[in-house]
Amino acid sequence: MDFGLVLQTDPPGATTVELMRRAEAQGFDYGWTFDSAVLWQEPYVIHSRILANTERLVVGPMVTNPGTRTWEVTASTFATLNEMYGNRTVCGIGRGDSAMRVAGRKPNTLGRLEQAIHTIRELAEGREAEVDGTTLRLPWVRDGRLPVWMAAYGPKALAMAGAKADGFILQLADPYLTEWMVKAVRASAEEAGRDPSEVTICVAAPAYVSEDLDHAREQCRWFGGMVGNHVADLVSRYGEHSDMVPEALTAYIKQRQGYDYAHHGRAGNPDTEFVPDEVVDRFCLLGPPAEQLRRLRELRDLGVDQFAVYAMHDAREQVIDAYGSEVIPAFRGEAS
């Protein structure tokens, strides 16, 4: 299993770069950032500095979307980074939550997302693709490679991830829901004539390495609120008691009153008081190294290829170092 680190691009940008350097030194394989132009600094500028200051880290957004940049600009950005640093990027993409809603726009449709996945990959790898009715190609791309991984929760999105994306990003670490969603993605891949094992499975969730579970929960409760935005969309689309979406995912948002993106992805978010401890424990990895390893083994056995650590809490350095000294070596030692 690979390991990734997920950060917001809060200023100063140099801090994000230094944390990613620290993560690489501790054995992490991927460096991810949020992509929400109003709430945080521009990620691709910082990605360039991360790539320049690391040797092997693969870098990308978790996640971008088809609506805030034109697709040829997104493709050209990735292709430029790849030319400079040797195909060390990955494009995480979804319909768009904070980046779209903060700007007063609705998330993109799945149809638009499907077109964007194809177009961005084709252009970034040097092939022709159509953008708004015009056939384009980036003539300077040589030997470009851009895996495109799709974030998804609902049944239609999961099916599309399996059929069209190079990887699937699941932003929660609940074993029951992970199993359900991984099966859906793999079934869709097989139906599309693909080898299901070729779709990379990435689970992303907060990890907090500590014996103090009460404090860990309060530092990570924000994550249930962030996931709740997507769950609310699913409930509005499929209904509160739909066979299409597991109640284990939807039940906890009944007391949700709304959401202010000013606190998005931050510890202490006042709009996440509705998230119960049980959901925090299911969605996140909390506890000492032994508990982290137990949960990681569960995810590995469900087919997860990467665990990406959301480090939006008061112990960013500590969780990077704890994973580097006690979790990653032990986990990889078991696999060797």
Side-chain angles (χ1 to χ4, degrees), residues 311-335:
M312 276 68 84
H313 48 54
D314 64 0
R316 295 184 300 182
E317 292 85 354
Q318 292 93 323
V319 75
I320 292 169
D321 293 349
Y323 262 65
S325 63
E326 300 187 64
V327 176
I328 295 175
F331 190 85
R332 288 180 173 158
E334 293 175 355

Side-chain angles (χ1 to χ4, degrees), residues 122-276:
E122 293 297 292
L123 291 175
E125 295 187 348
R127 295 183 292 275
E128 288 186 348
E130 187 174 293
V131 180
D132 296 330
T134 298
T135 299
L136 302 176
R137 185 175 71 86
L138 305 182
W140 47 269
V141 174
R142 299 289 184 273
D143 301 318
R145 181 178 179 275
L146 182 65
V148 182
W149 297 6
M150 178 182 159
Y153 290 104
K156 292 181 180 178
L158 293 170
M160 198 174 94
K164 302 296 182 180
D166 301 299
F168 162 51
I169 297 172
L170 172 57
Q171 292 164 312
L172 54 80
D174 175 75
Y176 172 79
L177 293 171
T178 298
E179 181 177 21
W180 180 78
M181 293 186 189
V182 168
K183 285 181 177 178
V185 168
R186 286 183 167 164
S188 175
E190 190 167 5
E191 289 172 9
R194 307 177 67 191
D195 179 351
S197 67
E198 292 181 357
V199 181
T200 302
I201 307 296
C202 174
V203 161
Y208 201 102
V209 184
S210 173
E211 298 277 0
D212 187 347
L213 291 181
D214 289 337
H215 181 73
R217 288 183 185 116
E218 292 313 309
Q219 287 294 306
C220 298
R221 198 175 304 276
W222 63 267
F223 184 67
M226 187 184 82
V227 174
N229 297 330
H230 303 285
V231 174
D233 285 346
L234 294 177
V235 169
S236 67
R237 190 173 303 119
Y238 296 104
E240 188 174 338
H241 303 290
S242 171
D243 293 337
M244 301 286 286
V245 183
E247 189 174 0
L249 179 62
T250 60
Y252 84 99
I253 68 160
K254 291 179 180 178
Q255 303 304 316
R256 183 177 182 269
Q257 298 297 315
Y259 194 84
D260 183 351
Y261 281 90
H263 311 288
H264 187 60
R266 300 194 183 278
N269 185 339
D271 296 322
T272 60
E273 294 178 355
F274 71 94
V275 181

